Amino acid sequence: MGKDRPLYIGVDVGGTKILAAAATETGAVVAREKQPTPRRAPMDKVIEAILATIDALLDKKRVRRGEVQSIGVAI
């Protein structure tokens, strides 16, 4: 992504999948990543899966962490 172009990440954690999307200030989605939600797993494993989904999203689009303005999570 370009310099000085902040991105916003939204994460939806459901019973079957974790879906993360990166969007611009105008709401244009520039990348999505989906992974299964660990079922019947301790909370720390679910948190690890959320972080892994975000990391995969950033890696997919070669986004630097400094470009992320904020992250919202819905569970």
Side-chain angles (χ1 to χ4, degrees):
M1 300 305 305
K3 290 183 179 185
D4 301 319
R5 184 176 179 195
L7 292 176
Y8 302 84
I9 296 177
V11 183
D12 176 29
V13 181
T16 59
K17 72 178 180 312
I18 300 168
L19 178 63
T24 65
E25 287 180 323
T26 62
V29 175
V30 296
R32 289 185 176 90
E33 183 66 30
K34 180 171 70 170
Q35 296 188 15
T37 301
R39 299 194 63 172
R40 297 184 181 95
M43 185 54 65
D44 63 327
K45 295 297 179 189
V46 176
I47 292 169
E48 287 175 15
I50 294 168
L51 295 173
T53 306
I54 293 169
D55 284 340
L57 175 71
L58 296 177
D59 289 344
K60 178 187 266 186
K61 285 296 185 178
R62 296 183 183 145
V63 174
R64 294 182 313 271
R65 292 181 188 275
E67 292 177 275
V68 177
Q69 183 70 28
S70 62
I71 298 174
V73 180
I75 299 177

